[in-house]
Amino acid sequence: MISVQDLVVRFGPVEAVRGVTFAVGEGQSFGIVGESGSGKSTVLRALAGLNDDWSGRMTIGGVALGPKRGRAFFRRVQMVFQDPYGSLHPRQTIDRALSEPLIVHGIGDADRRIRQALAEVALPSSVRFRFPHQLSGGQRQRVAIARALMCEPEVLLLDEPTSALDVSVQAEVLNLLADLQDRRKLTYVMVSHNLAVIAHLCPQLGVMQGGEMVEMLSASDLRAGRVSHPHTADLRRLSTELEEA
Amino acid sequence: MKVEIDNLTISFPSPQGMRAAVRGVSLTLGAEKLGIVGESGSGKSLTARALLRLLPGSAVVRADKLNFDGIDILKASERDMRAIRGRRAGLILQDPKYALNPIMTAGAQIAEAWQNQRKASRKEAMQAAIDLLAQVQIRDPKRVAESYPHELSGGMGQRVMIAMMLAPDPELLIADEPTSALDASVQAEILRLMEDLVSRRGMGLMLISHDLPLVSHFCDRVVVMYAGQVMEELQAGELVRAKHPYTRGLLECLPSLSHPQTRLPVMSRDPAWLA
Protein backbone atom coordinates (compact mmCIF):
# COMPACT_ATOMS: atom_id res chain seq x y z
CA MET A 1 0.00 0.00 0.00
CA ILE A 2 2.74 2.42 0.99
CA SER A 3 6.32 2.24 -0.08
CA VAL A 4 9.07 4.70 0.77
CA GLN A 5 12.51 4.31 -0.82
CA ASP A 6 15.65 6.27 -0.03
CA LEU A 7 13.67 9.23 1.26
CA VAL A 8 15.83 12.28 1.92
CA VAL A 9 14.30 15.47 3.35
CA ARG A 10 16.29 18.69 3.58
CA PHE A 11 15.71 21.87 5.51
CA GLY A 12 18.17 24.24 3.86
CA PRO A 13 21.62 22.76 4.41
CA VAL A 14 20.38 20.25 7.03
CA GLU A 15 19.45 16.71 6.04
CA ALA A 16 16.67 15.86 8.51
CA VAL A 17 15.92 12.49 6.93
CA ARG A 18 18.81 10.60 5.36
CA GLY A 19 17.73 7.74 3.14
CA VAL A 20 14.78 6.06 4.83
CA THR A 21 13.18 2.98 3.24
CA PHE A 22 10.14 1.03 4.40
CA ALA A 23 6.93 -0.50 3.10
CA VAL A 24 3.50 -1.04 4.61
CA GLY A 25 0.97 -3.56 3.31
CA GLU A 26 -2.72 -2.80 2.87
CA GLY A 27 -4.62 -2.84 6.16
CA GLN A 28 -1.36 -3.02 8.13
CA SER A 29 0.16 -0.69 10.71
CA PHE A 30 3.72 0.50 10.68
CA GLY A 31 5.18 2.40 13.62
CA ILE A 32 8.12 4.79 13.73
CA VAL A 33 9.79 5.49 17.09
CA GLY A 34 12.61 7.82 17.93
CA GLU A 35 13.55 10.73 20.14
CA SER A 36 12.88 14.36 19.30
CA GLY A 37 14.87 15.49 16.29
CA SER A 38 15.31 11.95 14.97
CA GLY A 39 13.30 12.83 11.85
CA LYS A 40 10.33 10.56 12.54
CA SER A 41 7.67 13.26 12.12
CA THR A 42 9.47 14.61 9.07
CA VAL A 43 9.04 11.25 7.32
CA LEU A 44 5.33 11.39 8.04
CA ARG A 45 5.02 14.99 6.92
CA ALA A 46 6.85 14.23 3.67
CA LEU A 47 4.39 11.37 3.06
CA ALA A 48 1.48 13.74 3.72
CA GLY A 49 2.87 16.33 1.30
CA LEU A 50 3.69 18.86 4.03
CA ASN A 51 7.40 19.02 3.15
CA ASP A 52 8.28 19.95 -0.40
CA ASP A 53 12.03 19.56 -0.44
CA TRP A 54 12.43 15.79 -0.55
CA SER A 55 13.99 13.28 -2.88
CA GLY A 56 13.67 9.54 -3.24
CA ARG A 57 10.63 7.54 -4.23
CA MET A 58 7.32 7.30 -2.41
CA THR A 59 4.22 5.47 -3.65
CA ILE A 60 0.81 5.04 -2.09
CA GLY A 61 -1.46 2.39 -3.62
CA GLY A 62 0.95 2.05 -6.53
CA VAL A 63 0.76 5.75 -7.44
CA ALA A 64 4.07 7.61 -7.28
CA LEU A 65 3.90 10.79 -5.21
CA GLY A 66 5.07 14.08 -6.68
CA PRO A 67 6.17 17.21 -4.89
CA LYS A 68 2.61 18.64 -5.00
CA ARG A 69 -0.40 16.51 -4.11
CA GLY A 70 -3.78 16.82 -5.76
CA ARG A 71 -7.23 16.52 -4.29
CA ALA A 72 -7.41 12.82 -5.14
CA PHE A 73 -4.39 12.19 -2.89
CA PHE A 74 -5.99 13.79 0.16
CA ARG A 75 -9.10 11.74 -0.39
CA ARG A 76 -7.00 8.62 0.06
CA VAL A 77 -4.57 9.86 2.72
CA GLN A 78 -5.37 11.84 5.85
CA MET A 79 -3.33 12.85 8.86
CA VAL A 80 -4.05 13.16 12.61
CA PHE A 81 -1.81 15.43 14.67
CA GLN A 82 -0.65 15.38 18.27
CA ASP A 83 -2.48 18.37 19.60
CA PRO A 84 -6.16 18.36 18.65
CA TYR A 85 -6.57 21.86 20.06
CA GLY A 86 -4.07 23.16 17.53
CA SER A 87 -5.55 21.24 14.62
CA LEU A 88 -9.19 22.29 15.03
CA HIS A 89 -10.32 25.83 14.20
CA PRO A 90 -11.13 27.45 17.57
CA ARG A 91 -13.99 29.55 16.23
CA GLN A 92 -15.71 26.87 14.18
CA THR A 93 -18.18 24.36 15.56
CA ILE A 94 -17.51 20.63 15.33
CA ASP A 95 -20.24 20.51 12.67
CA ARG A 96 -18.33 23.00 10.54
CA ALA A 97 -15.00 21.22 11.07
CA LEU A 98 -16.53 17.95 9.94
CA SER A 99 -18.39 19.46 6.94
CA GLU A 100 -15.33 21.09 5.45
CA PRO A 101 -13.70 17.93 4.04
CA LEU A 102 -17.07 17.05 2.48
CA ILE A 103 -17.35 20.44 0.79
CA VAL A 104 -13.73 20.34 -0.43
CA HIS A 105 -14.21 16.93 -2.00
CA GLY A 106 -17.74 17.59 -3.24
CA ILE A 107 -19.28 14.78 -1.19
CA GLY A 108 -22.99 15.18 -0.49
CA ASP A 109 -25.26 13.86 2.23
CA ALA A 110 -23.42 15.88 4.87
CA ASP A 111 -26.00 15.57 7.64
CA ARG A 112 -26.08 11.79 7.66
CA ARG A 113 -22.30 11.49 7.27
CA ILE A 114 -21.58 13.81 10.19
CA ARG A 115 -24.01 11.97 12.47
CA GLN A 116 -22.47 8.68 11.44
CA ALA A 117 -18.90 9.94 11.91
CA LEU A 118 -19.63 11.15 15.45
CA ALA A 119 -21.24 7.82 16.30
CA GLU A 120 -18.27 5.96 14.87
CA VAL A 121 -15.80 7.70 17.18
CA ALA A 122 -18.23 7.26 20.09
CA LEU A 123 -19.07 10.92 20.60
CA PRO A 124 -22.57 11.95 21.67
CA SER A 125 -24.51 13.87 19.01
CA SER A 126 -24.71 16.80 21.44
CA VAL A 127 -21.09 17.77 20.67
CA ARG A 128 -21.99 18.53 17.05
CA PHE A 129 -22.77 22.20 17.59
CA ARG A 130 -20.17 22.86 20.26
CA PHE A 131 -16.80 24.57 19.86
CA PRO A 132 -13.44 22.80 20.42
CA HIS A 133 -12.82 24.59 23.73
CA GLN A 134 -16.03 23.12 25.12
CA LEU A 135 -14.73 19.57 24.70
CA SER A 136 -12.18 17.60 26.70
CA GLY A 137 -8.80 16.70 25.18
CA GLY A 138 -9.90 13.14 24.44
CA GLN A 139 -13.12 14.30 22.81
CA ARG A 140 -11.17 16.77 20.67
CA GLN A 141 -8.83 14.01 19.48
CA ARG A 142 -11.90 11.92 18.58
CA VAL A 143 -13.18 14.87 16.53
CA ALA A 144 -9.80 15.12 14.77
CA ILE A 145 -9.99 11.40 13.95
CA ALA A 146 -13.60 11.73 12.76
CA ARG A 147 -12.56 14.63 10.54
CA ALA A 148 -9.74 12.62 9.01
CA LEU A 149 -12.22 9.84 8.24
CA MET A 150 -14.88 12.09 6.64
CA CYS A 151 -13.72 11.55 3.07
CA GLU A 152 -13.22 7.81 3.63
CA PRO A 153 -9.45 7.61 3.20
CA GLU A 154 -7.50 4.36 2.92
CA VAL A 155 -4.45 5.59 4.79
CA LEU A 156 -4.20 7.41 8.12
CA LEU A 157 -0.93 9.09 9.10
CA LEU A 158 -0.85 9.41 12.90
CA ASP A 159 1.66 11.82 14.44
CA GLU A 160 1.83 11.19 18.22
CA PRO A 161 -1.97 10.85 18.34
CA THR A 162 -2.11 10.12 22.08
CA SER A 163 0.89 11.97 23.51
CA ALA A 164 -1.12 14.97 24.70
CA LEU A 165 -3.76 12.81 26.40
CA ASP A 166 -4.14 11.36 29.89
CA VAL A 167 -3.27 7.67 30.10
CA SER A 168 -6.89 6.58 30.64
CA VAL A 169 -7.94 8.59 27.57
CA GLN A 170 -4.94 7.29 25.65
CA ALA A 171 -6.23 3.74 26.21
CA GLU A 172 -9.66 4.72 24.83
CA VAL A 173 -8.19 6.38 21.73
CA LEU A 174 -5.84 3.44 21.04
CA ASN A 175 -8.80 1.06 21.29
CA LEU A 176 -10.78 3.31 18.95
CA LEU A 177 -7.95 3.34 16.39
CA ALA A 178 -7.76 -0.46 16.54
CA ASP A 179 -11.54 -0.78 16.05
CA LEU A 180 -11.59 1.65 13.13
CA GLN A 181 -8.78 -0.19 11.41
CA ASP A 182 -10.64 -3.46 11.80
CA ARG A 183 -13.88 -2.06 10.48
CA ARG A 184 -12.54 0.04 7.61
CA LYS A 185 -9.40 -1.91 6.64
CA LEU A 186 -7.33 1.24 7.11
CA THR A 187 -3.57 1.37 6.66
CA TYR A 188 -1.76 3.22 9.47
CA VAL A 189 1.64 4.82 9.75
CA MET A 190 2.06 5.96 13.34
CA VAL A 191 4.85 8.04 14.83
CA SER A 192 5.48 8.17 18.58
CA HIS A 193 8.26 8.52 21.10
CA ASN A 194 6.51 5.90 23.25
CA LEU A 195 7.75 2.41 22.45
CA ALA A 196 4.93 0.66 24.30
CA VAL A 197 2.24 2.63 22.45
CA ILE A 198 3.80 1.82 19.07
CA ALA A 199 4.26 -1.85 19.93
CA HIS A 200 0.64 -2.03 21.06
CA LEU A 201 -0.81 -0.87 17.75
CA CYS A 202 1.87 -1.72 15.18
CA PRO A 203 3.15 -5.27 14.53
CA GLN A 204 6.05 -3.82 12.53
CA LEU A 205 8.12 -0.81 13.46
CA GLY A 206 11.20 1.18 12.56
CA VAL A 207 13.55 2.94 14.96
CA MET A 208 14.95 6.30 13.89
CA GLN A 209 18.02 8.13 15.10
CA GLY A 210 19.69 11.17 13.54
CA GLY A 211 17.56 11.03 10.39
CA GLU A 212 18.26 7.37 9.67
CA MET A 213 16.13 4.32 10.27
CA VAL A 214 18.67 2.35 12.26
CA GLU A 215 16.58 -0.78 12.72
CA MET A 216 13.35 -2.36 11.52
CA LEU A 217 11.84 -5.14 13.56
CA SER A 218 8.58 -6.73 14.63
CA ALA A 219 6.81 -5.79 17.84
CA SER A 220 7.23 -9.33 19.15
CA ASP A 221 10.99 -9.22 18.57
CA LEU A 222 11.06 -5.91 20.41
CA ARG A 223 9.09 -7.32 23.32
CA ALA A 224 11.36 -10.36 23.51
CA GLY A 225 14.46 -8.18 23.35
CA ARG A 226 15.67 -9.55 20.01
CA VAL A 227 17.11 -6.22 18.90
CA SER A 228 20.31 -5.59 17.00
CA HIS A 229 20.96 -1.83 17.13
CA PRO A 230 22.23 -0.30 20.40
CA HIS A 231 19.80 2.65 20.11
CA THR A 232 16.84 0.27 19.97
CA ALA A 233 18.23 -1.52 23.01
CA ASP A 234 18.59 1.83 24.85
CA LEU A 235 15.02 2.87 24.09
CA ARG A 236 13.73 -0.55 25.10
CA ARG A 237 15.65 -0.50 28.36
CA LEU A 238 14.27 2.95 29.28
CA SER A 239 10.77 1.75 28.54
CA THR A 240 10.92 -1.53 30.46
CA GLU A 241 12.88 -0.15 33.42
CA LEU A 242 9.91 1.92 34.53
CA GLU A 243 7.40 -0.85 33.92
CA GLU A 244 9.20 -3.11 36.32
CA ALA A 245 9.33 -0.50 39.09
CA MET B 1 11.41 22.37 57.19
CA LYS B 2 8.00 20.77 57.22
CA VAL B 3 5.07 21.32 54.90
CA GLU B 4 1.68 20.68 56.45
CA ILE B 5 -1.51 20.80 54.43
CA ASP B 6 -4.75 19.95 56.16
CA ASN B 7 -8.16 19.93 54.50
CA LEU B 8 -7.20 22.28 51.65
CA THR B 9 -10.00 23.46 49.39
CA ILE B 10 -9.50 25.67 46.31
CA SER B 11 -12.57 27.01 44.52
CA PHE B 12 -13.14 29.15 41.48
CA PRO B 13 -16.19 31.21 40.61
CA SER B 14 -18.24 29.82 37.71
CA PRO B 15 -21.63 30.78 36.25
CA GLN B 16 -23.10 28.01 38.43
CA GLY B 17 -21.57 29.40 41.62
CA MET B 18 -18.30 28.44 43.30
CA ARG B 19 -16.76 25.25 42.00
CA ALA B 20 -14.15 23.41 44.02
CA ALA B 21 -11.12 22.25 42.03
CA VAL B 22 -9.32 20.88 45.10
CA ARG B 23 -11.45 19.35 47.83
CA GLY B 24 -10.18 18.50 51.27
CA VAL B 25 -6.58 17.58 50.45
CA SER B 26 -4.30 16.79 53.38
CA LEU B 27 -0.64 15.90 53.20
CA THR B 28 2.67 16.47 54.95
CA LEU B 29 6.18 16.63 53.58
CA GLY B 30 9.51 16.77 55.34
CA ALA B 31 13.00 16.27 53.95
CA GLU B 32 11.79 13.52 51.65
CA LYS B 33 10.62 12.94 48.10
CA LEU B 34 6.87 13.07 47.68
CA GLY B 35 5.18 12.41 44.35
CA ILE B 36 1.76 13.81 43.49
CA VAL B 37 0.19 11.97 40.60
CA GLY B 38 -3.06 12.56 38.79
CA GLU B 39 -4.60 13.18 35.40
CA SER B 40 -5.27 16.64 34.02
CA GLY B 41 -7.74 18.53 36.16
CA SER B 42 -7.03 16.46 39.25
CA GLY B 43 -5.83 19.53 41.17
CA LYS B 44 -2.23 18.40 41.63
CA SER B 45 -0.64 21.60 40.32
CA LEU B 46 -3.12 23.82 42.16
CA THR B 47 -2.24 22.12 45.43
CA ALA B 48 1.46 22.83 44.90
CA ARG B 49 0.87 26.39 43.78
CA ALA B 50 -1.35 27.13 46.77
CA LEU B 51 1.70 26.43 48.91
CA LEU B 52 3.58 29.29 47.21
CA ARG B 53 0.41 31.37 46.89
CA LEU B 54 0.77 31.45 43.12
CA LEU B 55 -2.89 30.92 42.27
CA PRO B 56 -4.95 33.15 39.99
CA GLY B 57 -6.60 36.07 41.79
CA SER B 58 -10.05 34.56 41.40
CA ALA B 59 -9.17 31.44 43.39
CA VAL B 60 -10.61 31.11 46.90
CA VAL B 61 -8.34 29.07 49.16
CA ARG B 62 -9.49 27.61 52.47
CA ALA B 63 -7.65 25.19 54.71
CA ASP B 64 -7.52 24.08 58.32
CA LYS B 65 -3.78 24.26 57.96
CA LEU B 66 -1.48 25.42 55.15
CA ASN B 67 1.97 25.77 56.66
CA PHE B 68 5.48 26.04 55.30
CA ASP B 69 7.97 25.48 58.13
CA GLY B 70 5.53 26.87 60.65
CA ILE B 71 4.59 29.90 58.52
CA ASP B 72 0.86 30.15 57.89
CA ILE B 73 0.64 30.72 54.13
CA LEU B 74 -2.98 31.87 54.34
CA LYS B 75 -2.07 34.69 56.71
CA ALA B 76 1.48 35.51 55.55
CA SER B 77 2.17 38.97 54.15
CA GLU B 78 3.36 39.42 50.59
CA ARG B 79 6.79 40.26 52.05
CA ASP B 80 6.88 36.96 53.95
CA MET B 81 5.87 35.14 50.76
CA ARG B 82 8.72 36.73 48.82
CA ALA B 83 11.11 35.35 51.42
CA ILE B 84 9.78 31.86 50.64
CA ARG B 85 9.27 31.94 46.87
CA GLY B 86 12.46 31.32 44.96
CA ARG B 87 14.49 31.39 48.18
CA ARG B 88 13.31 28.80 50.66
CA ALA B 89 11.17 27.00 48.10
CA GLY B 90 11.94 26.75 44.39
CA LEU B 91 9.52 25.90 41.59
CA ILE B 92 10.53 24.07 38.41
CA LEU B 93 8.02 24.13 35.58
CA GLN B 94 7.42 21.84 32.65
CA ASP B 95 8.93 23.69 29.76
CA PRO B 96 12.21 25.59 30.18
CA LYS B 97 11.50 27.31 26.87
CA TYR B 98 8.78 29.35 28.57
CA ALA B 99 10.13 29.48 32.10
CA LEU B 100 13.51 31.02 31.25
CA ASN B 101 13.95 34.63 30.23
CA PRO B 102 14.68 34.53 26.48
CA ILE B 103 16.79 37.70 26.44
CA MET B 104 19.12 36.89 29.35
CA THR B 105 21.97 34.40 29.19
CA ALA B 106 21.59 31.27 31.30
CA GLY B 107 24.49 32.35 33.49
CA ALA B 108 23.03 35.81 34.15
CA GLN B 109 19.72 34.27 35.22
CA ILE B 110 21.35 31.87 37.64
CA ALA B 111 23.63 34.63 38.95
CA GLU B 112 20.59 36.82 39.57
CA ALA B 113 18.89 34.07 41.57
CA TRP B 114 22.08 33.53 43.55
CA GLN B 115 22.58 37.23 44.27
CA ASN B 116 18.97 37.61 45.31
CA GLN B 117 19.73 37.04 49.00
CA ARG B 118 23.46 37.59 49.17
CA LYS B 119 25.62 40.66 49.09
CA ALA B 120 28.13 39.76 46.45
CA SER B 121 29.76 41.21 43.38
CA ARG B 122 28.59 40.38 39.89
CA LYS B 123 31.84 38.53 39.29
CA GLU B 124 31.34 36.30 42.33
CA ALA B 125 27.76 35.64 41.28
CA MET B 126 28.86 34.60 37.79
CA GLN B 127 31.45 32.25 39.27
CA ALA B 128 28.74 30.76 41.51
CA ALA B 129 26.50 30.32 38.46
CA ILE B 130 29.22 28.41 36.65
CA ASP B 131 29.74 26.21 39.75
CA LEU B 132 26.02 25.49 39.88
CA LEU B 133 25.98 24.57 36.20
CA ALA B 134 28.81 22.14 36.88
CA GLN B 135 26.78 20.66 39.76
CA VAL B 136 23.88 19.91 37.43
CA GLN B 137 26.40 17.95 35.35
CA ILE B 138 26.82 20.28 32.43
CA ARG B 139 30.09 19.37 30.78
CA ASP B 140 31.01 22.83 29.52
CA PRO B 141 29.50 25.16 32.15
CA LYS B 142 31.29 28.26 30.89
CA ARG B 143 29.87 27.98 27.40
CA VAL B 144 26.35 27.22 28.67
CA ALA B 145 26.52 30.19 31.06
CA GLU B 146 27.11 32.43 28.07
CA SER B 147 24.30 30.89 26.00
CA TYR B 148 20.79 32.20 25.57
CA PRO B 149 17.86 29.83 26.27
CA HIS B 150 17.09 29.32 22.56
CA GLU B 151 20.63 28.02 22.03
CA LEU B 152 20.08 25.21 24.54
CA SER B 153 18.33 21.85 24.12
CA GLY B 154 15.32 20.97 26.27
CA GLY B 155 17.32 18.84 28.67
CA MET B 156 20.03 21.49 28.95
CA GLY B 157 17.39 24.18 29.58
CA GLN B 158 15.87 22.10 32.36
CA ARG B 159 19.32 21.71 33.95
CA VAL B 160 19.68 25.49 33.86
CA MET B 161 16.27 25.81 35.57
CA ILE B 162 17.37 23.37 38.27
CA ALA B 163 20.67 25.22 38.77
CA MET B 164 18.72 28.47 39.09
CA MET B 165 16.34 27.00 41.67
CA LEU B 166 19.23 25.53 43.66
CA ALA B 167 21.12 28.85 43.72
CA PRO B 168 19.51 30.24 46.89
CA ASP B 169 19.94 26.88 48.75
CA PRO B 170 16.23 26.22 49.15
CA GLU B 171 14.75 23.74 51.61
CA LEU B 172 11.99 22.60 49.29
CA LEU B 173 11.91 22.01 45.56
CA ILE B 174 8.55 21.82 43.83
CA ALA B 175 8.83 20.31 40.36
CA ASP B 176 5.67 20.49 38.26
CA GLU B 177 5.96 18.00 35.38
CA PRO B 178 9.68 18.77 35.10
CA THR B 179 10.40 16.19 32.43
CA SER B 180 7.18 15.89 30.43
CA ALA B 181 8.59 17.94 27.56
CA LEU B 182 11.77 15.85 27.36
CA ASP B 183 12.85 12.64 25.63
CA ALA B 184 12.79 9.45 27.67
CA SER B 185 16.60 9.22 27.89
CA VAL B 186 16.92 12.84 29.05
CA GLN B 187 13.94 12.41 31.36
CA ALA B 188 15.68 9.69 33.33
CA GLU B 189 18.91 11.72 33.55
CA ILE B 190 17.15 14.84 34.85
CA LEU B 191 15.15 12.93 37.44
CA ARG B 192 18.23 11.05 38.63
CA LEU B 193 20.05 14.38 38.90
CA MET B 194 17.21 15.95 40.89
CA GLU B 195 16.96 12.94 43.15
CA ASP B 196 20.69 13.01 43.80
CA LEU B 197 20.84 16.75 44.53
CA VAL B 198 17.80 16.65 46.78
CA SER B 199 19.12 13.72 48.81
CA ARG B 200 22.60 15.19 49.08
CA ARG B 201 21.37 18.59 50.26
CA GLY B 202 18.71 17.12 52.56
CA MET B 203 15.95 19.03 50.80
CA GLY B 204 12.29 18.19 50.41
CA LEU B 205 11.01 17.42 46.91
CA MET B 206 7.45 17.60 45.68
CA LEU B 207 7.33 15.96 42.26
CA ILE B 208 4.11 16.52 40.34
CA SER B 209 3.44 14.33 37.35
CA HIS B 210 0.83 12.45 35.39
CA ASP B 211 3.23 9.51 35.04
CA LEU B 212 2.63 7.10 37.91
CA PRO B 213 5.36 4.51 37.16
CA LEU B 214 7.94 7.25 36.63
CA VAL B 215 7.14 9.04 39.87
CA SER B 216 7.11 5.92 41.98
CA HIS B 217 10.58 5.16 40.62
CA PHE B 218 12.03 8.39 42.00
CA CYS B 219 9.97 9.20 45.12
CA ASP B 220 9.63 7.79 48.63
CA ARG B 221 5.87 8.27 48.81
CA VAL B 222 3.19 8.86 46.18
CA VAL B 223 -0.13 10.63 46.61
CA VAL B 224 -2.70 9.79 43.91
CA MET B 225 -5.23 12.54 43.17
CA TYR B 226 -8.44 12.43 41.17
CA ALA B 227 -10.97 15.24 40.65
CA GLY B 228 -9.49 17.38 43.41
CA GLN B 229 -9.31 14.67 46.05
CA VAL B 230 -6.63 12.34 47.34
CA MET B 231 -7.59 8.80 46.38
CA GLU B 232 -4.71 6.95 47.94
CA GLU B 233 -1.27 7.40 49.46
CA LEU B 234 1.34 4.75 48.79
CA GLN B 235 4.91 3.91 49.62
CA ALA B 236 6.63 4.14 46.25
CA GLY B 237 7.80 0.53 46.21
CA GLU B 238 4.26 -0.71 46.84
CA LEU B 239 2.78 0.40 43.57
CA VAL B 240 1.87 -3.15 42.65
CA ARG B 241 -0.08 -3.38 45.89
CA ALA B 242 -2.18 -0.29 45.15
CA LYS B 243 -5.72 -0.92 46.34
CA HIS B 244 -7.77 1.96 45.02
CA PRO B 245 -9.54 1.11 41.73
CA TYR B 246 -8.48 4.48 40.29
CA THR B 247 -4.79 3.80 40.93
CA ARG B 248 -5.19 0.26 39.58
CA GLY B 249 -6.98 1.66 36.53
CA LEU B 250 -4.17 4.14 35.85
CA LEU B 251 -1.62 1.32 35.90
CA GLU B 252 -3.64 -1.16 33.88
CA CYS B 253 -4.57 1.11 31.00
CA LEU B 254 -0.89 1.71 30.14
CA PRO B 255 0.29 -0.23 27.11
CA SER B 256 3.28 -2.30 28.18
CA LEU B 257 6.21 -3.84 26.37
CA SER B 258 6.54 -6.80 28.71
CA HIS B 259 2.83 -7.60 29.08
CA PRO B 260 1.12 -7.26 25.70
CA GLN B 261 -2.68 -6.99 25.66
CA THR B 262 -4.84 -7.15 22.56
CA ARG B 263 -7.21 -4.59 24.03
CA LEU B 264 -6.44 -2.01 26.68
CA PRO B 265 -8.74 -1.97 29.71
CA VAL B 266 -10.70 1.26 29.90
CA MET B 267 -11.28 2.94 33.23
CA SER B 268 -14.83 3.13 34.53
CA ARG B 269 -15.08 5.98 37.00
CA ASP B 270 -17.17 5.30 40.06
CA PRO B 271 -18.96 8.38 41.48
CA ALA B 272 -18.55 6.79 44.92
CA TRP B 273 -14.79 7.61 44.74
CA LEU B 274 -15.68 11.23 45.33
CA ALA B 275 -17.99 10.60 48.25
Side-chain angles (χ1 to χ4, degrees):
Chain A
M1 187 68 190
I2 301 173
S3 110
V4 173
Q5 275 167 41
D6 304 319
L7 175 68
V8 174
V9 184
R10 283 189 191 83
F11 295 113
V14 183
E15 271 190 6
V17 175
R18 304 191 283 179
V20 163
T21 301
F22 64 91
V24 194
E26 193 171 343
Q28 303 287 308
S29 301
F30 183 77
I32 304 176
V33 288
E35 305 212 299
S36 41
S38 62
K40 57 189 192 303
S41 292
T42 309
V43 170
L44 211 61
R45 292 176 66 88
L47 260 174
L50 295 171
N51 280 334
D52 291 339
D53 194 3
W54 59 272
S55 58
R57 191 177 153 76
M58 296 195 282
T59 64
I60 288 187
V63 184
L65 303 180
K68 291 270 181 269
R69 312 290 157 80
R71 195 179 300 174
F73 170 81
F74 292 108
R75 190 141 182 190
R76 308 184 71 182
V77 181
Q78 285 284 317
M79 186 154 170
V80 176
F81 297 89
Q82 171 173 359
D83 177 12
Y85 203 56
S87 55
L88 294 171
H89 195 300
R91 311 234 352 219
Q92 290 183 356
T93 60
I94 304 311
D95 181 68
R96 174 88 190 271
L98 295 182
S99 338
E100 204 157 68
L102 298 178
I103 298 167
V104 168
H105 292 285
I107 305 169
D109 203 7
D111 184 59
R112 187 189 58 81
R113 282 176 192 271
I114 290 171
R115 267 184 290 131
Q116 194 192 329
L118 288 175
E120 199 167 14
V121 296
L123 281 173
S125 50
S126 59
V127 307
R128 183 165 168 187
F129 296 102
R130 297 217 182 125
F131 288 95
H133 73 266
Q134 295 170 306
L135 308 182
S136 69
Q139 286 178 321
R140 281 198 288 262
Q141 195 59 297
R142 285 170 194 269
V143 171
I145 293 169
R147 187 176 200 260
L149 294 175
M150 284 315 281
C151 50
E152 296 178 350
E154 298 150 50
V155 176
L156 270 196
L157 305 174
L158 305 158
D159 190 1
E160 303 263 12
T162 62
S163 306
L165 307 176
D166 278 325
V167 288
S168 60
V169 183
Q170 165 171 284
E172 292 170 13
V173 170
L174 288 175
N175 285 343
L176 170 69
L177 287 170
D179 291 344
L180 288 170
Q181 181 169 42
D182 247 17
R183 215 178 301 148
R184 294 196 174 209
K185 305 284 164 259
L186 292 163
T187 305
Y188 288 162
V189 180
M190 180 155 97
V191 160
S192 177
H193 67 281
N194 188 323
L195 226 52
V197 166
I198 288 282
H200 176 75
L201 206 64
C202 308
Q204 288 292 325
L205 59 121
V207 180
M208 285 193 68
Q209 184 186 30
E212 285 171 43
M213 197 166 276
V214 294
E215 182 166 4
M216 275 203 266
L217 72 171
S218 71
S220 42
D221 281 347
L222 178 70
R223 291 187 198 280
R226 289 187 291 269
V227 302
S228 51
H229 195 277
H231 188 60
T232 316
D234 279 350
L235 291 178
R236 182 179 180 278
R237 186 176 44 74
L238 284 165
S239 178
T240 47
E241 229 170 40
L242 287 175
E243 280 178 15
E244 281 150 16
Chain B
M1 193 279 310
K2 195 169 173 71
V3 172
E4 292 167 296
I5 301 177
D6 193 15
N7 198 16
L8 172 71
T9 300
I10 304 173
S11 331
F12 290 91
S14 81
Q16 289 83 39
M18 295 303 282
R19 283 184 58 170
V22 172
R23 295 184 274 183
V25 166
S26 302
L27 53 92
T28 58
L29 166 69
E32 59 182 328
K33 289 166 285 185
L34 174 73
I36 303 184
V37 178
E39 297 192 288
S40 38
S42 60
K44 53 192 192 301
S45 298
L46 286 176
T47 304
R49 276 157 194 257
L51 195 58
L52 297 177
R53 220 160 72 194
L54 286 176
L55 295 171
S58 60
V60 177
V61 183
R62 275 178 295 130
D64 293 346
K65 208 188 242 179
L66 182 61
N67 286 1
F68 176 87
D69 198 22
I71 302 166
D72 185 347
I73 300 291
L74 292 176
K75 296 210 182 83
S77 67
E78 202 43 39
R79 196 192 159 89
D80 292 338
M81 287 313 297
R82 278 205 301 275
I84 296 176
R85 287 187 207 121
R87 295 188 187 184
R88 301 187 63 190
L91 176 64
I92 295 174
L93 296 167
Q94 177 172 353
D95 198 336
K97 247 183 258 149
Y98 300 107
L100 291 170
N101 185 340
I103 55 165
M104 271 171 90
T105 63
Q109 296 184 55
I110 301 167
E112 187 183 69
W114 188 83
Q115 244 179 333
N116 196 353
Q117 50 159 25
R118 296 177 178 91
K119 284 195 169 55
S121 71
R122 201 183 306 173
K123 211 171 150 191
E124 282 174 306
M126 208 39 152
Q127 192 48 51
I130 291 170
D131 283 349
L132 280 160
L133 283 171
Q135 277 184 49
V136 292
Q137 289 161 27
I138 285 179
R139 251 175 250 124
D140 190 355
K142 231 183 164 118
R143 187 186 61 82
V144 172
E146 284 161 15
S147 307
Y148 286 90
H150 74 270
E151 296 171 309
L152 303 171
S153 67
M156 208 68 119
Q158 207 56 301
R159 282 168 206 263
V160 170
M161 271 310 293
I162 294 173
M164 196 162 132
M165 289 302 123
L166 292 178
D169 280 322
E171 295 145 67
L172 172 68
L173 199 59
I174 300 176
D176 191 353
E177 302 270 7
T179 60
S180 308
L182 307 176
D183 280 329
S185 54
V186 188
Q187 193 169 23
E189 270 170 43
I190 295 282
L191 285 171
R192 225 167 276 141
L193 172 70
M194 267 179 25
E195 185 193 28
D196 179 52
L197 289 168
V198 163
S199 318
R200 203 139 27 103
R201 292 170 172 237
M203 294 162 54
L205 173 69
M206 191 185 272
L207 179 61
I208 299 165
S209 172
H210 64 280
D211 194 331
L212 184 49
L214 185 78
V215 165
S216 61
H217 208 77
F218 287 97
C219 291
D220 306 319
R221 267 188 310 138
V222 180
V223 168
V224 181
M225 284 184 71
Y226 169 64
Q229 298 187 11
V230 173
M231 293 288 109
E232 188 170 18
E233 192 179 316
L234 291 159
Q235 293 299 316
E238 295 180 345
L239 206 54
V240 280
R241 271 175 267 159
K243 282 193 202 79
H244 198 281
Y246 178 69
T247 318
R248 298 244 40 106
L250 278 185
L251 289 170
E252 279 157 14
C253 67
L254 284 173
S256 149
L257 271 189
S258 27
H259 311 284
Q261 292 166 296
T262 42
R263 216 178 157 71
L264 297 168
V266 172
M267 195 173 330
S268 47
R269 291 152 203 273
D270 187 345
W273 296 350
L274 302 176

